[in-house]
């Protein structure tokens, strides 16, 4: 019997990438699934494949930046299934561009999806996780929630915020003795479409950045990422690092301290496409 068999699991950003891989892995383990995305075409494909694995699936269009919609969605999921046991706040977008050339609206968009989307999902579902008597909250940050790099000021801001938010929520659950485990996930380079869909400042070559990411940085498959996440969740880990790059760079930052910034600036100036 799987540890998630029969449990109600919520996954946002389920239309592709890590989200889809998580849904299919959970479906194979017997979870009952509430999945969502703004990409309805991708979401429908994920739902179809999960149902082929025998899973009960509720699939809904959801924009995680729309707080009232997320609150309504949480109520609908709880009413539909009768309980909520696990929530994976996975939905996210990417942005690459130097701050000098980045518009305020671009920073706000990244923060709205990548940070406030996690906050909205956490606040909406936390009462149901507590009520389940055996809840687990999983928020997806990034390797860039562990270290900063040039060109990622907006994304770093959101992912560092997710990390701090999630770690604080974990501590609050411990202090209050609520029956909710909390895990923060930090993927490294994952072979998904996130870089190809990333926004860039006007005039920058998005294709060049996407090609560099896919060819040089994306080393881990979504399926391997999902497997690592589910293992960490089963073990109630506070932090899950995905990929050798995430583990190596996390260790580097711990050892180097603030000096890592100068090293990273030097390396990225030589290898990362600019503009």
């Amino acid at each position: 019997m799987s540890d998630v068999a029969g449990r109600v699991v919520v996954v946002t950003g389920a239309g592709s990438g890590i989200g889809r891989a998580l849904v299919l892995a959970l479906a194979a383990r017997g979870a009952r699934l509430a999945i969502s995305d703004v990409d309805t075409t991708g979401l429908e494909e994920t739902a179809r494949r999960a149902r082929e694995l025998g899973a009960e699936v509720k699939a809904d269009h959801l924009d995680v930046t729309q707080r009232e919609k997320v609150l309504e969605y949480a109520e609908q999921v709880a009413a539909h299934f009768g309980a909520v046991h696990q929530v994976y706040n996975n939905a996210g977008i990417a942005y690459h561009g130097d701050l000098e050339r980045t518009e305020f609206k671009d920073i706000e968009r990244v923060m709205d999806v990548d940070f406030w989307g996690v906050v909205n999902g956490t606040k909406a579902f936390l009462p149901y996780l507590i009520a389940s008597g055996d809840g687990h909250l999983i928020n997806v940050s990034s390797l860039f929630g562990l270290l900063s790099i040039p060109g990622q000021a907006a994304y770093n801001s959101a992912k560092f915020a997710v990390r701090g938010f999630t770690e604080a929520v974990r501590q609050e659950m411990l202090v209050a003795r609520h029956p909710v485990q909390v895990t923060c996930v930090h993927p490294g380079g994952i072979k998904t479409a996130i870089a190809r869909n990333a926004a860039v400042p006007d005039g920058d070559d998005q294709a060049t950045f996407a090609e560099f990411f896919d060819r040089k940085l994306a080393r881990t498959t979504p399926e391997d990422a999902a497997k690592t996440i589910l293992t960490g969740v089963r073990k109630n880990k506070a932090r899950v690092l995905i990929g050798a790059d995430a583990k190596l760079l996390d260790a580097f930052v711990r050892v180097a301290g603030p000096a890592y910034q100068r090293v990273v600036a030097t390396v990225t100036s030589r290898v990362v496409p600019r503009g």
Side-chain angles (χ1 to χ4, degrees):
M1 179 71 73
S2 168
D3 54 311
V4 295
R7 293 175 182 266
V8 178
V9 182
V10 177
V11 182
T12 67
S16 62
I18 293 176
R20 174 178 287 174
L22 277 169
V23 169
L24 298 182
L26 288 161
R29 290 163 171 77
R32 304 164 69 198
L33 295 160
I35 66 176
S36 63
D37 206 306
V38 293
D39 174 13
T40 53
T41 300
L43 183 66
E44 289 171 2
E45 174 62 15
T46 302
R48 181 190 66 80
R49 292 171 61 178
R51 290 181 180 121
E52 286 181 349
L53 292 170
E56 176 185 354
V57 181
K58 174 177 168 57
D60 294 279
H61 175 274
L62 182 68
D63 182 341
V64 296
T65 69
Q66 297 180 354
R67 182 169 300 151
E68 293 304 317
K69 295 291 186 182
V70 177
L71 291 169
E72 292 173 7
Y73 176 67
E75 292 180 0
Q76 293 165 4
V77 170
H80 180 87
F81 289 101
V84 178
H85 300 99
Q86 292 185 2
V87 174
Y88 292 78
N89 285 309
N90 165 74
I93 60 173
Y95 181 89
H96 176 74
D98 290 346
L99 185 63
E100 287 181 86
R101 303 182 59 246
T102 297
E103 302 289 339
F104 282 109
K105 64 179 177 62
D106 297 318
I107 300 171
E108 290 170 348
R109 177 60 180 164
V110 174
M111 291 299 294
D112 281 348
V113 177
D114 291 3
F115 174 61
W116 282 110
V118 170
V119 174
N120 293 340
T122 298
K123 283 283 288 177
F125 280 102
L126 189 57
Y128 302 106
L129 293 175
I130 294 171
S132 75
D134 186 22
H136 204 132
L137 172 69
I138 303 95
N139 290 338
V140 178
S141 177
S142 169
L143 167 60
F144 293 159
L146 299 171
L147 82 162
S148 296
I149 72 167
Q152 294 293 324
Y155 192 70
N156 278 137
S157 297
K159 294 303 187 178
F160 267 85
V162 168
R163 172 186 167 188
F165 172 77
T166 305
E167 291 178 1
V169 173
R170 178 182 174 87
Q171 293 171 54
E172 290 179 10
M173 295 299 100
L174 291 170
V175 170
R177 298 181 183 271
H178 286 315
V180 179
Q181 299 293 329
V182 181
T183 298
C184 193
V185 178
H186 296 272
I190 311 296
K191 296 177 181 178
T192 70
I194 191 167
R196 293 190 292 278
N197 295 332
V200 296
D202 291 342
D204 278 12
D205 186 352
Q206 197 277 345
T208 298
F209 170 70
E211 180 183 0
F212 172 80
F213 180 88
D214 288 343
R215 185 164 45 88
K216 297 290 188 180
L217 302 181
R219 300 294 185 184
T220 305
T221 67
E223 292 74 21
D224 284 342
K227 182 179 178 180
T228 300
I229 293 169
L230 294 182
T231 298
V233 169
R234 188 177 68 250
K235 295 180 178 180
N236 293 328
K237 287 190 173 182
R239 177 181 294 179
V240 175
L241 304 180
I242 302 176
D245 52 347
K247 295 174 183 177
L248 178 63
L249 289 171
D250 177 55
F252 167 63
V253 171
R254 290 170 183 269
V255 171
Y260 92 83
Q261 297 168 41
R262 185 171 296 278
V263 176
V264 169
T266 300
V267 172
T268 55
S269 69
R270 296 172 181 171
V271 300
V272 177
R274 315 296 294 175

